[in-house]
């Protein structure tokens, strides 16, 4: 920014035609003249053939946008307020490539529970990883499955596992990358285990839907090898940081060993003001609904401290772009690509014909509370988990998390997403019109 100011000062002595501003973030191919905007990049370059660093020829370079670049000046005298904290970098999907600072040594394998069909793939994967000198972590309850516990041929491998227990053991600094075997719920569970930085996630489609699990297990050896070697694309799936503040209505014994309601970790407890705070990282959505009550829910929604609307209906969904293809899509919202920095607000059966879903910028803070005139309490859940009751005086604060989930792609972020839309949600599937046959020319 300081260099740009110096350029603007020096250009005052030059002619208007010579005073051109070059955006360094666009590698010098974006030129801005104070009199006339000059787009140095031709229209045909919006999707050029030059591949991203470390990628193959099948990855096409898309135009990279970095806010507030490529243009920070507007006319001869206006510019963006210089505040580094407000600058948001918009990822270029073609340049998102996985790289390792050091070779990965540990991997967390998460298997869908209560599914006998996954036992054989789980054994094959773990055996392959250990043969390649990887340290394999699994949840303790996975090895307690009777089918695995009674398998004598798998006994030698079981002794090499490192195990952990959810809500008891912290493995966040011990895992280099994650492999999920199951459906979308398995990936959501993996996200919930990491309340801070999330290692890269490789998800195999062995469940029912598989929108978030692009890999097929047939060629898992070669695919896992590519990931370990750092030859893969990733899509950064934004998460929501959710803070629930409740008024204490019970004794101190409401919190045991640092755990709050439903076994969630109590992020803070202030007995002086009688408030209890809990924090969650959410990949799909936060759902506020009316619960078992027969009355409509009635909650106020604030955006950066301003009341924007009151939701009267069955509830409201606050989702990430990843969650836009989940509950929000069923409630009538648009589907948003994970690279779009946004937060979606979708009403559930609103008692108003004009209440349409809206999209707000990532980074804003939403606050949801029961309306003073609400007849009943509300209930909230986070990716379908940790469901709890919200009463008058309680609040739910939601903003974009600093810790996205890096999901490894089969091809690239754009191709994988549209493939999932077509295969899982059958997006825009219909019978095609028959074309007119050409009439023979009369002689």
């Amino acid at each position: 920014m300081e260099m740009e100011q110096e350029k603007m000062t020096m250009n005052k002595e030059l002619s208007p035609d010579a005073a051109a501003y070059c955006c360094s973030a666009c590698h010098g191919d974006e030129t801005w003249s104070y009199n006339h905007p000059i787009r140095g990049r031709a229209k045909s370059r919006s999707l050029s053939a030059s591949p991203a660093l470390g990628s193959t020829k099948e990855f096409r370079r898309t135009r990279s946008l970095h806010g507030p670049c490529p243009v920070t000046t507007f006319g001869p005298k206006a510019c963006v307020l210089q505040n580094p904290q407000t600058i948001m970098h918009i990822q270029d999907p073609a340049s998102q490539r996985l790289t390792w600072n050091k070779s990965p040594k540990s991997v967390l394998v998460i298997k869908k529970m209560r599914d006998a069909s996954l036992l054989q793939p789980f054994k094959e994967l773990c055996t392959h990883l250990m043969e390649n000198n990887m340290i394999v972590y699994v949840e303790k309850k996975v090895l307690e499955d009777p089918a695995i516990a009674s398998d004598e041929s798998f006994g030698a491998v079981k002794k090499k596992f490192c195990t952990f227990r959810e809500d008891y053991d912290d493995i966040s600094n011990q895992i280099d990358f994650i492999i999920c075997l199951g459906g979308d719920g398995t990936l959501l569970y993996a996200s919930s285990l990491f309340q801070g930085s999330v290692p890269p996630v490789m998800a195999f489609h062995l469940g029912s839907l598989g929108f978030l699990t692009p890999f097929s297990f047939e060629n898992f050896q070669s695919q896992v090898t590519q990931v370990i070697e750092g030859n893969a694309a990733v899509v950064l799936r934004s998460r929501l940081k959710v803070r629930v503040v409740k008024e204490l209505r019970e004794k101190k014994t409401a919190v045991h060993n640092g755990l709050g309601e439903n076994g969630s970790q109590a992020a803070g407890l202030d007995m002086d003001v009688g408030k209890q705070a809990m924090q969650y990282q959410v990949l799909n959505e936060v759902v506020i609904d009316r619960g078992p009550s027969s009355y409509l829910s009635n909650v106020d929604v604030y955006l950066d401290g301003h009341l924007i609307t009151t939701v009267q209906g069955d509830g409201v969904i606050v989702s990430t772009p990843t969650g836009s293809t989940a509950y929000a899509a069923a409630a009538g919202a648009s589907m948003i690509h994970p690279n779009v920095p946004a937060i979606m607000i979708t009403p559930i059966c609103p008692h108003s014909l004009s209440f349409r879903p809206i999209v707000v910028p990532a980074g804003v803070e939403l606050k949801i509370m029961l309306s003073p005139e609400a007849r009943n309490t509300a209930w909230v859940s986070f990716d379908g988990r940790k469901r709890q009751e919200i009463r008058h005086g309680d609040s739910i604060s939601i903003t974009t998390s600093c810790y996205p989930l890096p999901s490894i792609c089969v091809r690239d972020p754009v191709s994988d997403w549209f493939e999932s839309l077509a295969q899982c949600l059958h997006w825009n599937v219909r019978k095609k019109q028959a074309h007119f046959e050409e009439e023979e020319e009369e002689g």
Side-chain angles (χ1 to χ4, degrees):
M1 291 295 183
E2 294 178 1
M3 293 179 63
E4 294 172 9
Q5 285 184 327
E6 292 177 3
K7 289 181 181 180
M8 293 175 65
T9 304
M10 294 174 61
N11 286 334
K12 289 180 179 179
E13 302 175 2
L14 303 175
S15 63
D17 294 335
Y21 169 74
C22 294
C23 176
S24 59
C26 295
H27 310 289
D29 56 358
E30 184 79 52
T31 305
W32 181 266
S33 172
Y34 289 116
N35 275 354
H36 305 286
I38 303 174
R39 299 295 181 185
R41 185 180 295 156
K43 290 184 178 179
S44 61
R45 291 278 311 276
S46 61
L47 282 174
S48 72
S50 58
L53 181 63
S55 65
T56 58
K57 293 182 179 179
E58 66 180 6
F59 292 98
R60 305 184 68 187
R61 179 74 179 179
T62 58
R63 178 170 176 173
S64 178
L65 300 178
H66 299 277
C69 291
V71 177
T72 57
T73 57
F74 309 99
K77 295 182 179 179
C79 65
V80 173
L81 178 65
Q82 298 178 19
N83 182 358
Q85 295 182 351
T86 63
I87 295 177
M88 178 181 296
H89 293 282
I90 303 175
Q91 292 288 333
D92 172 9
S95 66
Q96 294 173 199
R97 305 290 299 175
L98 176 65
T99 184
W100 300 104
N101 295 324
K102 295 181 180 179
S103 298
K105 296 297 182 183
S106 60
V107 56
L108 169 62
V109 178
I110 298 178
K111 183 184 78 69
K112 182 181 179 181
M113 299 298 294
R114 299 181 299 276
D115 192 339
S117 65
L118 297 184
L119 293 178
Q120 189 59 33
F122 173 74
K123 296 175 185 178
E124 293 179 10
L125 173 64
C126 294
T127 303
H128 173 75
L129 292 170
M130 290 182 180
E131 288 176 352
N132 286 271
N133 300 318
M134 298 293 294
I135 301 172
V136 181
Y137 284 77
V138 297
E139 199 166 2
K140 189 175 181 179
K141 62 184 180 182
V142 171
L143 299 183
E144 294 172 352
D145 189 307
I148 294 179
S150 60
D151 191 341
E152 297 181 357
S153 63
F154 197 54
V157 177
K158 286 188 293 184
K159 295 178 181 179
K160 298 180 181 179
F161 280 123
C162 294
T163 60
F164 73 98
R165 296 173 298 170
E166 183 188 8
D167 292 333
Y168 287 92
D169 302 319
D170 183 11
I171 58 172
S172 56
N173 294 324
Q174 302 173 32
I175 304 299
D176 293 332
F177 73 103
I178 305 168
I179 297 180
C180 294
L181 302 177
D184 294 347
T186 311
L187 184 65
L188 294 175
Y189 177 69
S191 172
S192 69
L193 294 176
F194 294 85
Q195 294 300 298
S197 180
V198 187
V201 182
M202 183 180 190
F204 286 94
H205 180 201
L206 293 170
S208 54
L209 183 59
F211 191 90
L212 306 178
T213 54
F215 284 92
S216 172
F217 196 75
E218 295 176 358
N219 303 315
F220 77 93
Q221 295 95 337
S222 60
Q223 293 172 329
V224 170
T225 300
Q226 285 185 348
V227 171
I228 293 176
E229 293 176 351
N231 183 22
V234 294
V235 55
L236 300 181
R237 298 185 178 275
S238 64
R239 299 196 295 175
L240 298 176
K241 182 177 71 174
V242 186
R243 180 177 171 85
V244 180
V245 179
K246 291 186 174 184
E247 290 187 353
L248 287 174
R249 301 174 180 86
E250 300 178 3
K251 299 179 181 179
K252 280 188 178 182
T253 54
V255 178
H256 299 278
N257 301 323
L259 296 179
E261 295 186 11
N262 296 319
S264 60
Q265 291 187 355
L269 183 62
D270 192 341
M271 296 304 299
D272 295 334
V273 297
K275 298 283 187 180
Q276 177 186 0
M278 293 165 287
Q279 190 164 296
Y280 306 91
Q281 297 284 336
V282 176
L283 178 60
N284 258 359
E285 73 274 297
V286 180
V287 177
I288 299 95
D289 59 68
R290 60 191 176 98
S293 173
S294 58
Y295 293 110
L296 296 174
S297 67
N298 209 331
V299 295
D300 293 335
V301 180
Y302 296 83
L303 192 150
D304 287 341
H306 301 281
L307 177 65
I308 58 171
T309 192
T310 297
V311 180
Q312 188 169 337
D314 282 353
V316 63
I317 305 166
V318 180
S319 62
T320 63
T322 295
S324 69
T325 53
Y327 194 175
S334 296
M335 294 179 289
I336 301 178
H337 189 276
N339 276 107
V340 178
I343 299 175
M344 297 186 63
I345 303 173
T346 307
I348 307 172
C349 297
H351 198 239
S352 170
L353 297 178
S354 61
F355 196 169
R356 307 298 300 166
I358 61 172
V359 180
V360 297
V364 301
E365 183 179 45
L366 296 171
K367 189 173 184 179
I368 300 177
M369 304 177 65
L370 273 180
S371 300
E373 62 271 16
R375 296 182 177 183
N376 57 297
T377 62
W379 288 76
V380 61
S381 61
F382 314 93
D383 283 340
R385 295 164 53 88
K386 310 293 185 183
R387 185 170 171 81
Q388 53 197 270
E389 191 174 15
I390 299 298
R391 302 171 181 267
H392 283 97
D394 301 342
S395 65
I396 305 168
S397 298
I398 306 171
T399 189
T400 305
S401 172
C402 298
Y403 302 107
L405 184 141
S407 180
I408 300 174
C409 303
V410 173
R411 294 176 59 190
D412 62 82
V414 175
S415 300
D416 282 17
W417 191 68
F418 278 102
E419 180 72 15
S420 297
L421 287 182
Q423 297 297 325
C424 300
L425 298 184
H426 305 291
W427 178 65
N428 197 26
V429 175
R430 63 179 179 85
K431 290 185 177 181
K432 295 183 178 181
Q433 286 181 316
H435 66 281
F436 290 116
E437 295 183 3
E438 296 182 1
E439 298 181 1
E440 297 182 0
E441 295 183 0
E442 297 181 0

